[in-house]
Amino acid sequence: NIVTWSRTILVIPIAVCLKTGQPTAAFWLVILHDYLDHVDGIVARVHRDLYGPVDDPILGGFMDAFCDKIVNCLSLWSILLVTDYSGMTLMQSSVLISPCAVVILYEFTIGVVRVQDYFRAHFLREFGKASPGGQKSSADSVKAAMEGKTKEKLESLGIAFLSLAQGAAVPMDHWGGVAGVVCLVLCIRLAHASLDRKLKARKVRETGTPKKNDINKRHAVNLKRVESAPPGEMARVETLHKYNLRSRGPPATTEDDEEPGDPTADILGPVDPVDVVYTVGCFDLFHEGHKNLIQRMRKLGRKVVVGVHDGASIYRNKRRMPVESTETRMRNVKVHADVVFCIAAADPTD
């Protein structure tokens, strides 16, 4: 969006302020860039709520991260160019140059990895191939996001403090120079963790399917869950399962008040309904077929739970965007179901 491009162009006035000897203005421009990073995320969410997930999520995340790298690397490079090293000792010059150079090197390397990952994800999505390594767990995603945000904040603070220190005769004698170097050193640690995480994820994807022992463990967990079912539950589930297998035949109606063609009439008489019946779907342009499905589910269970795919997961599944927004589709389903929730992944079991 417009905020993304605006905060990227800020690298030009930052460099001009550093070149013309206006360190305070450069400091506040770096802070403004960091603030616009938050505004960018808010604007993206508002656009998603108003117009639906029309933007490519893979390209959006890639561009957001790359714009940050462009501004940060060029700002650090400008600081190194405009710094007056004549009044600094060799140790002070090394302390200033080393973290800046290492951060630029890490950001360049991470950028190369992200470009490769972007084109790989784009290719897999366009040609409908699944990633053998699977998706990251929610805990891993949260940890990676927290590390990435912390790295960005430390890097922005380091650049801002080093810009402010340019107003002193000897930048490393100014408190801003010391604070900026400390922030960049901490940023290097998080940049290394981020790069290591990306390379490990790539290695997992390239190794292929999970090990056989892991699959056996998951099967053992599933069996344990089935064996711990309450008494009588398995019998009801098996009865309903057998009914589903033969439900393609002509329906039998024995009661006068039953709807014609109701396939649940011949089974729900002698069998108690289960506690919860669950299904997932897109439910775009809610129609009579959707309504009939939920009504049939209500005859099979006491509580009807429906998961509605969001726009991004529908695109991954069907390669098209829904006509209605996620909120509209969920409201349409909630009229007939007890519980409705949003599924943000292509696989509802994730």
Side-chain angles (χ1 to χ4, degrees), residues 68-90:
D68 287 332
K69 298 184 188 309
I70 291 173
V71 175
N72 293 335
C73 289
L74 292 181
S75 297
L76 285 173
W77 183 252
S78 299
I79 290 173
L80 293 177
L81 290 179
V82 302
T83 300
D84 183 11
Y85 299 97
S86 60
M88 298 171 58
T89 64
L90 180 61

Side-chain angles (χ1 to χ4, degrees), residues 22 25-26 83 93 96 127 129 154 160 198 235 252 274 291 294 329:
Q22 302 179 41
T83 300
S93 300
L96 174 62
F127 292 93
K129 297 182 179 180
L154 288 173
K198 288 178 173 56
V274 296
K291 179 181 176 182
I294 299 176
R329 291 183 283 115

Side-chain angles (χ1 to χ4, degrees), residues 118-136:
Y118 165 72
F119 282 107
R120 181 181 183 280
H122 181 76
F123 172 82
L124 293 176
R125 186 188 63 185
E126 291 299 321
F127 292 93
K129 297 182 179 180
S131 176
Q135 296 181 346
K136 294 189 296 184

Side-chain angles (χ1 to χ4, degrees), residues 26 32 47 87 128 131 139-140 182 215 255 289 296 299:
L32 176 61
H47 282 180
S131 176
D140 291 339
V182 171
I215 298 176
E255 300 293 339
R296 291 171 59 186
K299 294 185 179 182

Side-chain angles (χ1 to χ4, degrees), residues 176-231:
V178 177
V181 169
V182 171
C183 290
L184 291 182
V185 170
L186 295 176
C187 172
I188 291 173
R189 171 67 183 88
L190 294 175
H192 177 77
S194 176
L195 180 60
D196 183 62
R197 189 184 303 276
K198 288 178 173 56
L199 294 178
K200 286 182 178 178
R202 175 180 295 184
K203 185 177 180 180
V204 170
R205 288 195 300 264
E206 291 175 353
T207 53
T209 57
K211 296 181 180 179
K212 185 176 181 180
N213 292 336
D214 297 336
I215 298 176
N216 292 336
K217 288 180 181 178
R218 288 200 295 269
H219 287 174
V221 172
N222 293 335
L223 290 175
K224 190 177 297 184
R225 290 177 181 172
V226 173
E227 292 171 357
S228 61

Side-chain angles (χ1 to χ4, degrees), residues 223-245:
L223 290 175
K224 190 177 297 184
R225 290 177 181 172
V226 173
E227 292 171 357
S228 61
E233 182 68 19
M234 291 305 300
R236 289 196 294 270
V237 171
E238 290 177 0
T239 303
L240 291 174
H241 176 65
K242 292 178 181 178
Y243 158 72
N244 290 331
L245 294 179

